[in-house]
Amino acid sequence: MIDKIKLGAAAALVEAGIGGYYWLGESPLVLRVLAVIAGIAAGIAMAWFTVPGRQLVEFGGESVAEVKKVVWPTRKETMQTTAAVFAFVVVMAVFLWITDKGLEWVLYELVLGWKKT
């Protein structure tokens, strides 16, 4: 229950920072942005001391570790894959156009007997 209260307070701090941006409407932009940053920082600090907050940080660390394990394709592999996709799209476009015109011809010329002018 205490974690829910802390998370609510963290959300209220973020909202206060955003509200400060508008409350300081006549102030310099730097001060208004600092109000938002301070509200977000205070909200993060408050959320840090909750179990869900620590789980989120742990999840983020594990995610970064997993991303480091990924073998990213080289530029050459990326270009080859992109070229293959574009070629497939062109071939499918031509195939679908031929199929459409063929069905149009069968339907309008042969079945219905309509002549296009």
Side-chain angles (χ1 to χ4, degrees), residues 6-113:
K6 287 181 184 177
L7 288 174
L13 288 170
V14 171
E15 289 177 15
I18 294 170
Y21 178 85
Y22 293 105
W23 187 66
L24 298 170
E26 300 297 321
S27 300
L29 181 62
V30 174
L31 184 61
R32 296 168 67 193
V33 170
L34 285 176
V36 174
I37 291 172
I40 291 173
I44 290 172
M46 178 68 77
W48 181 273
F49 294 105
T50 64
V51 173
R54 280 180 262 145
Q55 288 175 343
L56 179 65
V57 171
E58 183 180 341
F59 176 76
E62 291 173 359
S63 298
V64 169
E66 288 297 320
V67 167
K68 289 181 180 179
K69 293 179 186 178
V70 173
V71 179
W72 297 100
T74 63
R75 180 175 173 84
K76 181 180 178 185
E77 292 170 337
T78 303
M79 296 303 283
Q80 288 175 340
T81 304
T82 302
V85 168
F86 278 130
F88 179 76
V89 167
V90 168
V91 168
M92 284 304 299
V94 170
F95 170 75
L96 291 172
W97 180 77
I98 290 171
T99 303
D100 180 53
K101 291 301 171 185
L103 289 172
E104 179 184 339
W105 177 75
V106 168
L107 183 65
Y108 289 121
E109 299 289 331
L110 300 178
V111 175
L112 297 175

